[in-house]
Amino acid sequence: MTQKEMQKRLRRYAKKTAGCLPAGRRERMEALLIREEPVRTRGTLWDFICEQVGYLLRQCLFWQIIWFVLFCCLMKTAADILVMISVLPPLLVLLTVEEITKVYQRSMMEIEYATRYSLQHVVVVRMLVLCIVHFFILFLGIAGLHAGLDSGMGCLLIYGFTPMVLFASTLTGLMRYLQGQRLRVAGMAVYIMLVLAVIAGKSSKYGMYESDYFGIWCVVCAAGMLFGICQFVRLNRQLARFEQLPG
């Protein structure tokens, strides 16, 4: 029951019992309902988002820091920096995806049903929060390396974000069918295939980091974003059906 509904009910009770109460009691009761400042209650959308952000920071911050340190160290020692920029970003998604998918496992359903916000809201907010955090982590890492590299900032961002976008889109599609350990195994298999594809594409036979292929990178990145949006919408619809209790 909200505060407004409670005030309405108390006023109705006061009106019904007006004839049974001593003089002046009714005025005092109504005065108790009038507050100079509204009482702040929990459960607002902003509170919900802050709680999810706090939970994700506690659970994922360790892996994000480890990844960032690994990224910086490898960029200083790697012979082929462009390959490392492409293969490391998807690993950040793989390390943190479990904190999204665990909420819609069957063992967690009773807890989610007891909350004000639905399972659909929880998954969507966590995915958006991690997307934003991953974007800034990768952006800061690439920006820090830009000064010592010949490639432009735009090229480095495309080389780093395109594999991440493709992997995140594929993983979002897999989330519609797999959870838990099976999702981690499938995600690892997709990541290994992505790494092999990047390494093979770097060979002199394909030379995918040549300037002539940069336009193709941009097209693939845009296509991956569209594919990811489609998978996100489908997952969102499935979660809405998934949490409905049988009638």
Side-chain angles (χ1 to χ4, degrees), residues 33-73:
L33 300 176
I34 301 176
R35 303 269 185 178
E36 294 181 2
E37 297 181 359
V39 178
R40 183 177 182 272
T41 58
R42 294 190 61 187
T44 64
L45 179 59
W46 179 248
D47 290 332
F48 169 70
I49 294 176
C50 290
E51 288 173 357
Q52 296 303 315
V53 170
Y55 176 82
L56 288 175
L57 287 180
R58 289 195 302 270
Q59 302 299 322
C60 300
L61 187 60
F62 172 78
W63 292 114
Q64 291 165 347
I65 293 176
I66 292 296
W67 181 91
F68 188 77
V69 173
L70 177 66
F71 182 87
C72 294
C73 292

Side-chain angles (χ1 to χ4, degrees), residues 177-232:
Y177 307 101
L178 304 173
Q179 293 91 34
Q181 185 64 30
R182 293 191 299 169
L183 179 64
R184 287 194 295 272
V185 172
M188 183 60 70
V190 174
Y191 178 72
I192 292 174
M193 289 189 292
L194 182 63
V195 171
L196 293 177
V198 171
I199 294 175
K202 179 60 179 67
S203 63
S204 57
K205 181 179 179 180
Y206 300 101
M208 66 180 192
Y209 290 107
E210 300 294 333
S211 58
D212 296 338
Y213 292 98
F214 183 71
I216 298 178
W217 277 87
C218 295
V219 172
V220 172
C221 185
M225 289 182 181
L226 291 176
F227 178 71
I229 292 173
C230 293
Q231 295 302 317
F232 180 79

Side-chain angles (χ1 to χ4, degrees), residues 67 71 82-93 130-143 152-170 194 198 209 214 217-225:
W67 181 91
F71 182 87
L82 293 182
V83 172
M84 300 306 299
I85 288 178
S86 295
V87 301
L88 284 181
L91 183 61
L92 183 61
V93 180
L130 283 180
C131 284
I132 295 173
V133 173
H134 291 166
F135 171 84
F136 280 107
I137 290 176
L138 182 56
F139 180 83
L140 291 175
I142 291 178
M153 183 69 174
C155 293
L156 296 179
L157 290 176
I158 292 295
Y159 292 150
F161 276 104
T162 299
M164 175 183 271
V165 167
L166 293 177
F167 182 73
S169 302
T170 304
L194 182 63
V198 171
Y209 290 107
F214 183 71
W217 277 87
C218 295
V219 172
V220 172
C221 185
M225 289 182 181

